[in-house]
Amino acid sequence: MPDKPLSFSATCALLILMAEDREMSNPELKKKYGVTITGKERTTLNAGRFVTSRRAGRSFSHVVTDKGWRHASELVRDGIGTPGNGFAAAAVKALVGNLQRHIARSENSLAEIFGREEDLVPANTGEPVAEPPASEPAAAPIAQPSAASVPASASDDVETMIRKAYAQLADKPNAWVSLTRLRPLLGDAPRDEVDAAFRRMIGLPDVRLVPESNQKMLTDEDRSAAVVIGDQAKHLILIGA
């Protein structure tokens, strides 16, 4: 069954979260934009799986889902049909509708346009692991740790398991770790729960998830291990202090 069209207010809520490209709490939304995502807007966006909301203290925090990003892309491509009245509604319609010109000209995706700067920096401009000098023999490949090498207690949630696996693999502070190496250490954790945890974690101040800068280096295993956030595949994770 096709989704019912979103109301203008729910559409605007989705666009705000898209533009922020991170999880936002209602207090943050109120402080920055003077609005909160509650009532019909939250219920509609959650029921349609455009936005995931979770209770954080006394309030809710919200993040756009893959389906939400796809719908936002459709709005940019097709425009907003009935945005309401007044200059504010007309401005939203004009800005969203005419983003398509920039996308067509630049060949960028919405995720690249609205992605947070730190998530769009190529991985090799962060703190990459140094390549061995040409005059020295390359180090032996790092052995894949087994899932059993990362102890997990019954109380561990998926985020805790991810953090433990990262700590096991990172060879120095602020090291980039590929999801190809990290996923096997999560044992039997369901793929959808792991991906949902990655999408929540990307909004945290100590976590970065980025695509591999050299797409030609990617193997089928790397592509399979990636997590898609927005409309962009992320292959590497960094968890800092």
Side-chain angles (χ1 to χ4, degrees):
M1 178 181 294
D3 295 305
K4 293 181 180 180
L6 294 177
S7 67
F8 181 55
S9 57
T11 297
C12 287
L14 175 66
L15 293 175
I16 290 169
L17 293 174
M18 176 201 71
E20 285 287 342
D21 189 32
R22 64 186 177 94
E23 186 177 57
M24 288 196 79
S25 66
N26 276 335
E28 286 181 288
L29 287 164
K30 184 68 174 179
K31 182 178 180 180
K32 190 167 185 178
Y33 296 107
V35 298
T36 57
I37 302 176
T38 56
K40 287 184 178 180
E41 286 75 28
R42 180 179 66 80
T43 301
T44 300
L45 290 169
N46 291 167
R49 299 184 180 180
F50 299 106
V51 168
T52 297
S53 301
R54 66 180 180 90
R55 186 171 287 280
R58 296 182 178 180
S59 186
F60 281 93
S61 290
H62 318 277
V63 67
V64 180
T65 64
D66 291 344
K67 183 179 178 181
W69 275 96
R70 288 194 297 271
H71 184 64
S73 298
E74 292 168 359
L75 291 175
V76 170
R77 184 191 67 213
D78 303 330
I80 299 176
T82 54
N85 300 315
F87 279 107
V92 171
K93 181 177 182 179
L95 289 172
V96 172
N98 287 296
L99 266 176
Q100 184 61 34
R101 292 209 310 268
H102 174 71
I103 290 173
R105 185 166 56 241
S106 65
E107 298 184 350
N108 287 330
S109 66
L110 276 182
E112 290 169 318
I113 293 171
F114 289 106
R116 307 189 73 76
E117 183 178 356
E118 62 268 23
D119 295 327
L120 299 176
V121 175
N124 60 11
T125 64
E127 291 193 38
V129 178
E131 294 288 342
S135 58
E136 298 178 7
I142 299 175
Q144 289 276 3
S146 66
S149 66
V150 179
S153 69
S155 62
D156 281 351
D157 59 14
V158 176
E159 179 180 335
T160 300
M161 293 171 62
I162 290 171
R163 289 179 178 274
K164 285 185 175 182
Y166 175 86
Q168 177 78 19
L169 293 170
D171 59 356
K172 63 178 180 178
N174 297 322
W176 290 105
V177 169
S178 75
L179 299 190
T180 308
R181 296 178 62 209
L182 187 145
R183 283 192 188 271
L185 274 65
L186 302 180
D188 297 328
R191 172 76 183 233
D192 60 343
E193 292 184 17
V194 173
D195 286 358
F198 283 136
R199 294 185 181 103
R200 289 193 301 270
M201 292 174 70
I202 198 171
L204 301 177
D206 65 333
V207 177
R208 293 171 64 185
L209 279 152
V210 300
E212 167 58 55
S213 59
N214 186 350
Q215 298 286 304
K216 294 180 179 179
M217 289 178 55
L218 294 174
T219 64
D220 289 342
E221 188 179 15
D222 295 329
R223 293 186 178 89
S224 176
V227 57
V228 177
I229 301 177
D231 56 358
Q232 188 176 62
K234 313 282 190 181
H235 308 95
L236 302 161
I237 188 170
L238 181 153
I239 301 178

